[in-house]
Amino acid sequence: MGYDEIITYLGDFGRYQRQIYFLLCLPAISCAFHKLAGVFLLARPNFRCILPFEDINNATYESFPKQQWHQTYPYDPLTGKWEMCVYYNFNYTDEFLNGLTANTTGTNIDTKECEQFVYERTWYQSSAVTEWNLVCSRSLLSATSDSLFMLGVLLGSIVFGQLSDKYGRKPIFFASLVMQEIFGVLAGIAPEYFTYTVSRMIVGATTSGVFLVAYVIAMEMVGQSYRLFAGVACQMFFSLGFMLTAGFAYFIRDWRWLQIALTLPGLLFMCYHSIIPESARWLLSKGRKTEAIVVIEKAAEINNINIPQIVYDNLMEETNSEIVRSNSGGNEERAPSIFDLLRYPNLRRKTLLIFFDWFVNSGTYYGLSWNTNNLGGNVLLNFVLSGAVEIPAYTFLLLSLNKWGRRSILCGCMLTAGICLLLTMVVPSHLNWLIIVLAMAGKLAITSSYGTIYLFSTEQFPTVVRNVGLGACSMVARVGGILAPYLNLLGQFWRPLPLLICGALALIGGLLSLMLPETLNKSLPETMEDGENFGRKPRHDDRYNSNERGEELSSMITEPNGKMISCT
């Protein structure tokens, strides 16, 4: 008898599980603060170069008349914008600026690079970009900072995931939380770019330790019938944090205070230490039966359930036998590897398709989430809408995933996102509201597909390498997130470009998803042989029948000594 049998007594989602689940969903809000804060911390408002004749201390973005920009800044007809990184190297006299005299430099094309800048203060009092002048030749630094944050998320998912498997979910959750608070505040008081970027990268790593570990604890105590709901509903808390970030940015216009304000709510979760239990599943897997039973008994008490003593006795006996078996045969088993998924033709094809879908979904999701400043109009409203559309996206998944199938939802949502984003190319520039509507429709669709790909991938990989496969998918997804800031940087040269690239990738990914087999109401593949045969279409010219092919595949995945590979 394992923990799944205990669940049949406790209930799949009893009162105790609901209470703990709700508390563990709240940290997703705090993690959303940190993941989306870069939109405001590294906001790049409109700016212009300070001209030689201006007083540096008193110059403002609005102080120089725009009707004189044609006399001072070059105009780029391709982008339809003034070149604010250089200025005409003229002799700027009052007579020249007033149009009474021509320039005296003898040339109309001589330009000089700007050294000082002033920024528009309509939406932001300050940001890291305005404080350290991360514009023009230094604009790559702002994208690099966001990219390194996502690199931290990638490293954190690896490091904290392994630590939580070794030392337990609860201690790693609180260790990550403490680190998040320390380095979150440090990022807010950082004296220069390097300290800020390193601190933010560590904060990115801790979001994996806080959110993912809390997610695992919550999912490990929920029964099978509620796992779809629990997994999707948890993402809605992240969307709530997404929208609340704009509320902080509305009231706090200074980037340093904003970073600190978004960090401090994490202190509230410190009180969880005496409330949140260690995962009973993990305790049983480590042979800590007495501690696991304490957790189970507390859950039974709150759920008003009486579990017979014989159930605990059987659980302890089975756990003991499993540990003995694991210790005696552990040296003979080979650890699962990503190469197991790439070794066989059909599995390799499916794995590469799934990897591409994860890359596109992550890159497009974060690309659209961080691109709200480039859409025009009210940047705060754009940001709130970008978070708000995620709620109906996840609700759609709850209502449709078990009815219409995983492949149809994934393909349909990615195609919808691609079409909506590509349509922005033909919208006239004066219809900016329509561009925003199409961008938000694309964000809604890609959010739904992102939520689908996790479940779809889980059901595609064989049990023996399922964790390895999902871990590899997560790494590929983080690569998409790492590249997303550089994608948005292209919006400085042509505003629709990030939307067009995301749209093209989503369209290609949606079409390629049709090559994956449907998994709804299908038995999950258990062995490597099952995984290779799952979704394979029989051919009329096969030389072997199905039994012969199965025997052939079995010989392919048999080690030289005749022992079948076990990747559990």
Side-chain angles (χ1 to χ4, degrees):
M1 176 177 292
Y3 188 78
D4 284 330
E5 284 71 22
I6 292 290
I7 285 289
T8 61
Y9 288 91
L10 290 178
D12 282 0
F13 204 44
R15 180 182 177 186
Y16 178 77
Q17 290 103 311
R18 291 196 299 270
Q19 292 175 353
I20 300 300
Y21 172 80
F22 174 75
L23 292 176
L24 289 172
C25 283
L26 293 178
I29 298 175
S30 180
C31 290
F33 289 165
H34 293 292
K35 282 194 172 183
L36 280 305
V39 173
F40 304 105
L41 301 177
L42 290 166
R44 177 183 170 271
N46 293 326
F47 67 94
R48 68 174 183 86
C49 182
I50 298 181
L51 298 169
F53 60 86
E54 291 187 277
D55 183 357
I56 295 178
N57 296 323
N58 296 321
T60 64
Y61 178 79
E62 299 82 6
S63 63
F64 191 70
K66 289 192 175 182
Q67 61 269 24
Q68 293 182 344
W69 281 13
H70 71 282
Q71 296 176 281
T72 54
Y73 304 112
Y75 181 78
D76 187 350
L78 294 178
T79 62
K81 297 179 180 180
W82 302 97
E83 295 283 353
M84 293 300 178
C85 296
V86 295
Y87 62 93
Y88 289 126
N89 190 20
F90 291 160
N91 181 17
Y92 291 105
T93 62
D94 291 339
E95 291 79 6
F96 168 67
L97 292 172
N98 293 326
L100 300 178
T101 63
N103 75 81
T104 59
T105 61
T107 177
N108 290 330
I109 60 173
D110 185 25
T111 59
K112 189 174 182 179
E113 290 189 5
C114 298
E115 297 179 358
Q116 299 287 338
F117 303 90
V118 288
Y119 300 89
E120 186 180 19
R121 306 292 181 180
T122 303
W123 300 109
Y124 310 101
Q125 180 181 339
S126 70
S127 72
V129 168
T130 65
E131 182 169 332
W132 296 318
N133 288 326
L134 305 181
V135 293
C136 298
S137 61
R138 290 168 55 84
S139 61
L140 196 63
L141 293 176
S142 63
T144 300
S145 183
D146 271 338
S147 183
L148 289 176
F149 177 89
M150 292 305 295
L151 177 62
V153 176
L154 167 60
L155 297 176
S157 64
I158 298 172
V159 174
F160 290 113
Q162 292 181 345
L163 290 176
S164 68
D165 284 341
K166 184 175 182 180
Y167 298 107
R169 318 310 194 197
K170 185 174 179 178
I172 300 306
F173 171 81
F174 286 101
S176 302
L177 193 59
V178 171
M179 290 178 61
Q180 189 175 98
E181 295 302 298
I182 293 174
F183 285 95
V185 172
L186 182 59
I189 61 176
E192 32 70 37
Y193 171 84
F194 179 78
T195 304
Y196 165 80
T197 299
V198 172
S199 299
R200 283 277 296 165
M201 183 172 69
I202 296 175
V203 169
T206 64
T207 60
S208 296
V210 173
F211 175 68
L212 292 182
V213 174
Y215 179 86
V216 168
I217 298 175
M219 295 301 291
E220 286 184 340
M221 66 172 58
V222 175
Q224 179 65 36
S225 63
Y226 277 88
R227 283 181 185 169
L228 174 61
F229 168 80
V232 173
C234 185
Q235 299 297 327
M236 292 185 178
F237 283 83
F238 186 90
S239 302
L240 177 60
F242 192 133
M243 291 181 282
L244 289 176
T245 305
F248 279 85
Y250 177 80
F251 292 103
I252 306 174
R253 302 297 178 95
D254 180 273
W255 77 272
R256 292 185 179 276
W257 285 111
L258 176 61
Q259 169 63 30
I260 294 173
L262 292 172
T263 300
L264 293 181
L267 292 173
L268 297 174
F269 304 126
M270 295 295 185
C271 65
Y272 279 13
H273 197 275
S274 59
I275 303 174
I276 301 298
E278 181 57 88
S279 169
R281 287 183 187 270
W282 181 84
L283 291 171
L284 289 172
S285 72
K286 297 299 180 181
R288 295 160 62 173
K289 306 174 294 296
T290 304
E291 297 172 69
I293 289 176
V294 170
V295 175
I296 295 170
E297 286 179 337
K298 183 175 182 180
E301 179 183 356
I302 294 179
N303 288 352
N304 197 24
I305 297 295
N306 183 26
I307 299 179
Q309 183 60 40
I310 191 173
V311 174
Y312 293 121
D313 295 338
N314 291 339
L315 179 65
M316 295 177 69
E317 290 175 4
E318 181 168 328
T319 303
N320 284 330
S321 62
E322 287 292 334
I323 294 172
V324 171
R325 234 180 355 255
S326 175
N327 291 336
S328 62
N331 294 331
E332 299 178 5
E333 295 184 346
R334 182 176 65 84
S337 152
I338 184 60
F339 297 107
D340 293 316
L341 292 170
L342 302 177
R343 187 173 299 164
Y344 314 112
N346 190 39
L347 261 177
R348 179 169 58 248
R349 178 182 62 85
K350 292 186 294 183
T351 298
L352 293 178
L353 288 172
I354 291 170
F355 282 175
F356 182 75
D357 280 345
W358 276 82
F359 171 81
V360 171
N361 275 276
S362 177
T364 304
Y365 175 85
Y366 285 106
L368 294 176
S369 298
W370 293 337
N371 192 52
T372 51
N373 284 336
N374 291 331
L375 292 178
N378 189 316
V379 296
L380 290 174
L381 179 59
N382 292 345
F383 188 88
V384 171
L385 289 175
S386 185
V389 297
E390 294 187 4
I391 302 299
Y394 290 128
T395 303
F396 169 74
L397 293 184
L398 289 175
L399 298 176
S400 63
L401 267 181
N402 288 335
K403 292 183 179 179
W404 298 346
R406 286 67 158 120
R407 183 178 63 180
S408 58
I409 297 298
L410 177 65
C411 174
C413 289
M414 293 188 74
L415 290 177
T416 301
I419 292 171
C420 289
L421 297 177
L422 289 176
L423 283 176
T424 60
M425 180 174 56
V426 299
V427 176
S429 58
H430 66 277
L431 296 178
N432 192 69
W433 65 269
L434 184 54
I435 294 177
I436 294 175
V437 169
L438 289 172
M440 295 306 156
K443 175 66 186 301
L444 187 154
I446 206 66
T447 300
S448 291
S449 67
Y450 203 1
T452 303
I453 190 62
Y454 189 95
L455 178 62
F456 196 33
S457 303
T458 301
E459 296 172 341
Q460 291 282 350
F461 294 131
T463 300
V464 292
V465 288
R466 185 164 292 134
N467 286 340
V468 172
L470 290 177
C473 287
S474 179
M475 293 180 65
V476 173
R478 298 290 81 79
V479 173
I482 290 170
L483 295 178
Y486 297 107
L487 174 65
N488 288 335
L489 196 63
L490 298 176
Q492 298 181 17
F493 306 102
W494 188 38
R495 194 169 70 179
L497 189 55
L499 300 179
L500 298 184
I501 295 176
C502 288
L505 290 173
L507 194 65
I508 295 172
L511 293 173
L512 292 177
S513 298
L514 292 173
M515 300 172 64
L516 292 169
E518 179 57 74
T519 59
L520 180 63
N521 298 326
K522 301 288 181 65
S523 298
L524 298 186
E526 298 289 342
T527 65
M528 297 301 295
E529 181 180 349
D530 293 339
E532 176 65 10
N533 289 329
F534 185 68
R536 171 185 280 186
K537 295 182 179 179
R539 296 175 299 179
H540 294 294
D541 60 343
D542 280 346
R543 292 181 301 165
Y544 310 107
N545 60 32
S546 59
N547 292 331
E548 290 171 334
R549 187 182 299 111
E551 293 173 359
E552 179 183 32
L553 182 62
S554 296
S555 65
M556 291 171 61
I557 58 175
T558 302
E559 291 183 319
N561 60 6
K563 176 179 174 60
M564 289 294 294
I565 294 174
S566 176
C567 301
T568 55

